[in-house]
Amino acid sequence: MNLHEPGAVRALLDVALARGWQPEVRRGVEIDGWSLLEAAAAARVGTTGPADPKD
């Protein structure tokens, strides 16, 4: 997942919010970032379609 692509960081935030992250609550929280990346990448593939239109 390329964080420089439009919508990539938004996808990460959406996944974190869906999993219970509350940005307004000021406290330390440990989250497995790999699971967030995998879920965000999967969500982006679902919304943008395959990279190669022949697939």
Side-chain angles (χ1 to χ4, degrees):
M1 183 168 181
N2 183 347
L3 296 179
H4 294 284
E5 290 180 5
V9 174
R10 179 77 245 177
L12 280 171
L13 288 173
D14 289 343
V15 170
L17 289 168
R19 293 189 180 183
W21 176 59
Q22 300 171 333
E24 66 278 356
V25 176
R26 303 273 182 184
R27 61 181 164 82
V29 176
E30 286 190 34
I31 299 173
D32 179 11
W34 289 112
S35 65
L36 293 179
L37 284 172
E38 291 171 357
R44 286 190 40 81
V45 168
T47 59
T48 61
D52 185 357
K54 293 181 266 179
D55 286 345

